[in-house]
Amino acid sequence: MTDLPPLLPRISDYAGWHATRRPETVALKLDDRAWTYAELASAVDRLARALMAAGIRRGDRVATLQTPHPQYLIDFLATASIGAIWVGLNPRYQLEELLHVVADSEPAILLARRHIGDRCYDAELAALAASCPSLRRVILHDEADCPAGTESMATFLRAGEAIDAEALLAARASSGGRDPCLIVYTSGSTGAPKGALLHHEGLARFSLGQNRLWPLSPLRVINYFPINHVGCVADCSLPCLVAGGTTIFMEKFDPARCLALMARERVTLWGSVPSTFPMILDLPDFADHDLSAVELIVWGGAAMGEDVLARLATLGPPMATNYGMTETTSAITAIEPTHDLEALAHSVGDTFPDVEVRLCDANGAPAAEGDIGEVQTRSALNFLGYWRRPEATAEAFTEDGYFRTGDLAARRPDGRYRIAGRIKEMYKSGGYNVYPREIEAVLESHPAVNAAAVVAMPDPVWQEIGVAFVTLAAPVAPADLDAFCRGRLANYKLPKHILIETELPLLPIGKVDKTALKRRLA
């Protein structure tokens, strides 16, 4: 692999670092349009000047309403480069969701697209401007003739020409390190989403660490994740930028188009969430596409089904996975590239470089060897806190600085960690603790099962019981799945109902939406 850059003061510095060393290398691509590193660095500088001319200063917020598009990354890098804090908005959000994030983060400027797909955002943009006093200007990426209350990007950029190079350098020199540069709003499965505040150093250290763990040269990856998610920014975009690689953007995931892109663009890292892999593998012309450039297959966000793992193994490249979350800048544990299917199916690897991990029981004491405990982690990559929520921030950390993940895990004899589920997903049935992930893993080991999700519902006799929602790869009766589980689980862990579904509801990043499943039960 090409030598990695050093740890630079600002995550945005890597665009310029590569522009001086590989100016003609393609950094970003969308359809037939490509941005070299020289063009990327120039675009970042130009937008940074415009933001400064508009009065954006260190600590101010700038929001972007955009698809996974090269311009989103330019917006983020330009904002971060002058010490401001960037917020991504998902175009799939409805007005109430947009209002929550914008009212909470209080951006001074919104960089947006007026049209995405068949949707026009005129009403939403007008409502945001009217409801959020902090929002001074709305700049449109995709319009020359702009509706009242908005401005064109071309006009906005011209104003930035008044900012000279010396002023830009001074703004950049005054920020970086552990200064915040990104707010990522968590999924909000237990309430209104909270903004996790990430910093330059954490994003840079994670990107460098991931590239050392999974070295690829050249690094070429497809990114179709929503820009408001840590998976888009921290897991995909920034490691590729830091490595001097090429990101091929895809504004909306489509399995057939993604497969064709991987072949045409000679993608070297096939990375995604588990739900997308069978969609691609099941395409009738999958075998007709040349994926010989793929050197590594990676997934995150959830466990991969053993049947899908076995199919991926036949392709030849090693595989890897990791475990992390927004608040830890994605870094808790990871697996190095391997062909060990057992480890890939039943663990999330060992600790990520320079990250401390411990498992604690309900009283905060270390969990006994092999027992399930809460995952707690401490590192320079952890977030700074929840935006304007000091009480929530204090509750999230122990007195000695470990972040409480809320996830449950056990450490295996080989040193790798096995995820057991979420503390808030754990339920008590007949006085016993039951961990949904353990049941899901058993169901997913059945050859006829594609995916399983287990949630709890109240029960007058047992306090709570488990209900399993299952999608199938082949016909099987719920009674047969029940018998399969009985041979592998204690009776108190058995799901009392097994419901066959055509599909499971998914969050935008591809995880199963268990809140939606609970609503179905209710």
Side-chain angles (χ1 to χ4, degrees):
M1 145 172 220
T2 304
D3 289 341
L4 289 172
L7 179 67
L8 300 178
R10 290 159 293 277
I11 187 62
S12 47
D13 290 345
Y14 291 95
W17 195 92
H18 287 296
T20 62
R21 290 161 177 83
R22 55 182 75 199
E24 298 308 313
T25 297
V26 173
L28 313 173
K29 192 168 183 183
L30 177 70
D31 299 328
D32 295 325
R33 171 77 198 280
W35 287 253
T36 66
Y37 273 95
E39 290 170 328
L40 171 61
S42 176
V44 168
D45 288 353
R46 193 176 181 204
L47 181 54
R49 287 187 171 98
L51 291 171
M52 289 177 63
I56 295 299
R57 298 293 182 263
R58 185 170 181 264
D60 289 345
R61 276 78 60 210
V62 174
T64 293
L65 177 66
Q66 178 65 278
T67 60
H69 185 289
Q71 191 61 56
Y72 115 77
L73 188 58
I74 293 168
D75 291 358
F76 165 67
L77 295 174
T79 300
S81 78
I82 58 173
I85 304 171
W86 183 82
V87 184
L89 302 176
N90 191 333
R92 293 175 62 181
Y93 279 172
Q94 298 305 309
L95 178 58
E96 185 176 343
E97 296 166 299
L98 290 168
L99 283 169
H100 171 75
V101 173
V102 173
D104 190 67
S105 60
E106 293 190 320
I109 287 179
L110 171 59
L111 309 173
R113 276 169 61 180
R114 186 182 176 199
H115 296 95
I116 296 176
D118 296 330
R119 184 173 172 185
C120 176
Y121 290 83
D122 282 356
E124 288 84 352
L125 295 175
L128 291 173
S131 303
C132 303
S134 70
L135 192 56
R136 301 195 301 261
R137 300 171 73 173
V138 177
I139 315 300
L140 298 181
H141 276 299
D142 59 341
E143 296 290 324
D145 298 321
C146 299
T150 65
E151 309 167 51
S152 74
M153 178 58 73
T155 302
F156 185 69
L157 291 173
R158 279 196 295 272
E161 295 170 4
I163 303 297
D164 61 28
E166 187 175 336
L168 179 61
L169 286 173
R172 289 174 172 171
S174 67
S175 64
R178 293 186 66 80
D179 286 340
C181 62
L182 171 65
I183 301 177
V184 179
Y185 279 80
T186 57
S187 62
S189 59
T190 57
K194 302 187 295 291
L197 203 54
L198 305 185
H199 50 90
H200 289 270
E201 181 186 347
L203 290 165
R205 285 190 182 277
F206 172 75
S207 298
L208 290 166
Q210 179 167 290
N211 281 304
R212 292 186 186 112
L213 190 69
W214 301 333
L216 294 175
S217 182
L219 176 54
R220 296 178 64 83
V221 65
I222 293 179
N223 187 351
Y224 42 74
F225 300 114
I227 70 166
N228 62 304
H229 197 278
V230 72
C232 178
V233 185
D235 288 299
C236 197
S237 299
L238 296 182
C240 195
L241 171 73
V242 167
T246 302
T247 299
I248 298 100
F249 284 97
M250 188 176 176
E251 294 188 271
K252 183 179 180 181
F253 175 71
D254 174 82
R257 186 159 174 264
C258 184
L259 176 60
L261 267 180
M262 284 199 295
R264 188 182 80 200
E265 296 292 343
R266 305 292 291 167
V267 164
T268 58
L269 173 62
W270 182 3
S272 193
V273 291
S275 58
T276 65
F277 285 92
M279 297 180 194
I280 293 174
L281 290 169
D282 289 341
L283 290 169
D285 63 343
F286 176 82
D288 298 334
H289 289 79
D290 178 9
L291 299 184
S292 60
V294 174
E295 299 177 25
L296 180 64
I297 300 171
V298 174
W299 62 92
M304 183 76 82
E306 291 188 62
D307 59 328
V308 179
L309 263 179
R311 294 172 69 186
L312 290 171
T314 65
L315 303 180
M319 294 179 278
T321 186
N322 72 342
Y323 157 62
M325 54 185 55
T326 301
E327 292 89 340
T328 65
T329 316
S330 282
I332 300 178
T333 69
I335 290 181
E336 296 181 1
T338 183
H339 293 281
D340 184 343
L341 299 189
E342 190 281 330
L344 290 163
H346 301 293
S347 84
V348 289
D350 206 342
T351 52
F352 194 85
D354 301 319
V355 172
E356 299 175 73
V357 173
R358 69 186 185 191
L359 303 180
C360 293
D361 64 20
N363 299 316
E369 191 67 29
D371 282 359
I372 291 173
E374 183 192 24
V375 179
Q376 298 182 358
T377 178
R378 182 171 65 182
S379 79
L381 286 71
N382 279 356
F383 75 137
L384 300 170
Y386 293 111
W387 174 252
R388 293 180 173 171
R389 284 177 167 80
E391 292 182 1
T393 299
E395 291 173 2
F397 288 93
T398 64
E399 290 183 0
D400 54 351
Y402 280 80
F403 172 66
R404 308 176 195 267
T405 67
D407 285 340
L408 296 164
R411 194 163 195 189
R412 301 170 10 141
D414 63 3
R416 296 186 175 105
Y417 289 87
R418 172 179 62 84
I419 300 299
R422 294 281 295 167
I423 289 176
K424 291 176 181 177
E425 289 181 1
M426 186 199 80
Y427 59 93
K428 283 187 175 288
S429 187
Y432 290 98
N433 292 345
V434 181
Y435 304 98
R437 184 60 211 144
E438 184 179 6
I439 305 167
E440 292 161 359
V442 168
L443 284 164
E444 288 169 353
S445 69
H446 190 287
V449 173
N450 260 335
V454 174
V455 297
M457 66 179 292
D459 184 81
V461 176
W462 304 108
Q463 296 128 322
E464 292 178 293
I465 57 172
V467 178
F469 294 83
V470 173
T471 61
L472 300 180
V476 66
D480 293 331
L481 293 177
D482 178 74
F484 182 81
C485 290
R486 287 181 183 277
R488 292 161 177 81
L489 293 169
N491 62 349
Y492 67 88
K493 298 178 184 179
L494 296 171
K496 299 303 185 284
H497 304 285
I498 298 177
L499 307 178
I500 306 299
E501 303 286 328
T502 55
E503 62 182 11
L504 299 177
L506 300 177
L507 296 167
I509 197 61
K511 293 183 181 179
V512 175
D513 187 347
K514 291 194 172 182
T515 301
L517 292 178
K518 286 192 173 186
R519 284 198 296 267
R520 288 188 193 178
L521 293 179

